[in-house]
Amino acid sequence: MTRLTEDMIWGVPDDKMDLDTRLMKMTGKTVKGIAMEAAGLEMDDYDFSRFFAAAIPITSGLGIIGGFAKSVNAITTRLGMRGCVTQGTDVAGFSEATNLGADIIMMSDDPMFIAYNTAERKYTDNSWGTAMGYSVCLKNAAGGVEGKDVLVVGAGRVGSWATRILLDWGANVQVTDIDYSKAEALIPLGAKAIRGVENAISDNTLLINAAPYIIPGEIIAQGSIISSPGVPHYYDLEGRTRCKAIIHDPLEIGAAVMAVNSAAYTIKKEMRA
Ligand code: 2YG
């Protein structure tokens, strides 16, 4: 997935209500509600304040993204978790988080962004979290996807996970990628690989756009619902007018799903005991 930049996430720490308001209108759920459904937590609400989530800035890979760890911390705090951004980076940050008794450690180099549950020694990764979060958004916005046609644009890590998830839910999934072999690799799972992305977009009204592809409004079908994790994110006026809903945020849905799913390892274990 395309790397985030500081300006894409500058508003995240202060965005207290806006995404919840937009999501509620489109899906009937808040970020927390989407994340709880994604994590398979079936209760109406949950007090996550028992979990301490540490966000560690990581310098390896392509380095620090200004505001990234702060944004991640704001997201877990909005879910009701306690937490901090560690003063130290990398291994120093990890030891600091451990000394603070962190239950969940959020950290990302470039290949991986994970939420690590320290007690259960299990992690949730952002590709799955993003795919699951945006699939849950689409499902709620569409009033279910079982038996319906869904087009997944982009067969990278997020698109591949979204394809698997939607197939599991009984959707008829078509998948397209600029590199056709990536879409083709999902055929054995039950997806239909499509070569012509523009026609496929015009023929469908339920879409996941998991590609760094800016869809021209003139090819979008009237009344479409596009759950759109891909960055850069942009829809022109024609596209915005034709769509019933366009669901997007730069970081929060995927990171919230990761954090809640990580907490859910502990919660579900306690419920089984
Ligand atoms: O700690 C830091 O500041 C950096 N090491 C963070 C690097 C994050 C790199 N990853 C990305 O930009 C995205 N692909 C993350 C995806 C989040 C939204 N789904």
Side-chain angles (χ1 to χ4, degrees):
M1 194 173 244
T2 310
R3 194 167 211 257
L4 294 173
T5 57
E6 186 167 356
D7 56 308
M8 285 179 196
I9 54 171
W10 70 269
V12 174
D14 302 317
D15 177 13
K16 290 193 182 55
M17 289 305 296
D18 188 45
L19 178 61
D20 271 345
T21 310
R22 285 185 287 124
L23 270 191
M24 189 55 102
K25 261 192 215 150
M26 294 186 286
T27 70
K29 293 203 169 196
T30 60
V31 176
K32 187 176 176 185
I34 294 288
M36 286 183 60
E37 184 176 337
L41 293 178
E42 282 166 10
M43 59 291 267
D44 289 338
D45 199 6
Y46 191 87
D47 179 0
F48 288 104
S49 62
R50 57 180 286 204
F51 292 98
F52 187 97
I56 306 177
I58 299 290
T59 65
S60 69
L62 297 176
I64 299 279
I65 297 175
F68 183 83
K70 188 176 168 199
S71 297
V72 170
N73 177 239
I75 291 163
T76 54
T77 302
R78 278 205 279 279
L79 293 167
M81 295 180 184
R82 293 169 299 111
C84 69
V85 176
T86 57
Q87 302 281 320
T89 65
D90 308 291
V91 178
F94 191 88
S95 57
E96 191 183 324
T98 305
N99 291 338
L100 288 166
D103 303 295
I104 297 171
I105 293 180
M106 309 284 291
M107 57 186 169
S108 175
D109 57 10
D110 278 76
M112 289 290 273
F113 175 19
I114 63 167
Y116 178 62
N117 180 318
T118 56
E120 297 306 316
R121 289 177 288 164
K122 283 188 192 166
Y123 68 85
T124 302
D125 108 287
N126 180 259
S127 299
W128 178 86
T130 302
M132 182 53 103
Y134 280 83
S135 298
V136 169
C137 287
L138 183 72
K139 181 171 137 196
N140 280 276
V145 292
E146 191 175 353
K148 295 183 184 171
D149 294 340
V150 179
L151 176 70
V152 176
V153 180
R157 285 192 289 179
V158 173
S160 300
W161 271 119
T163 300
R164 285 190 183 85
I165 290 162
L166 292 161
L167 286 167
D168 266 6
W169 293 344
N172 309 314
V173 182
Q174 297 182 11
V175 58
T176 180
D177 195 284
I178 194 163
D179 175 355
Y180 179 72
S181 67
K182 287 190 178 173
E184 207 176 18
L186 298 170
I187 294 174
L189 302 179
K192 189 171 170 200
I194 302 283
R195 282 186 194 273
V197 61
E198 295 188 356
N199 285 342
I201 288 171
S202 300
D203 288 346
N204 281 280
T205 54
L206 299 181
L207 286 86
I208 301 251
N209 182 10
Y213 175 49
I214 295 177
I215 303 175
E218 64 195 25
I219 67 168
I220 295 175
Q222 196 70 40
S224 290
I225 299 173
I226 309 185
S227 201
S228 196
V231 287
H233 171 80
Y234 175 77
Y235 288 83
D236 60 26
L237 181 60
E238 183 66 33
R240 281 182 274 134
T241 309
R242 290 184 183 202
C243 283
K244 189 171 160 200
I246 299 173
I247 299 157
H248 174 79
D249 79 282
L251 185 62
E252 184 149 3
I253 294 171
V257 172
M258 290 162 64
V260 170
N261 194 62
S262 192
Y265 295 136
T266 303
I267 298 165
K268 286 180 189 170
K269 188 177 173 185
E270 287 171 357
M271 286 167 71
R272 282 194 301 268

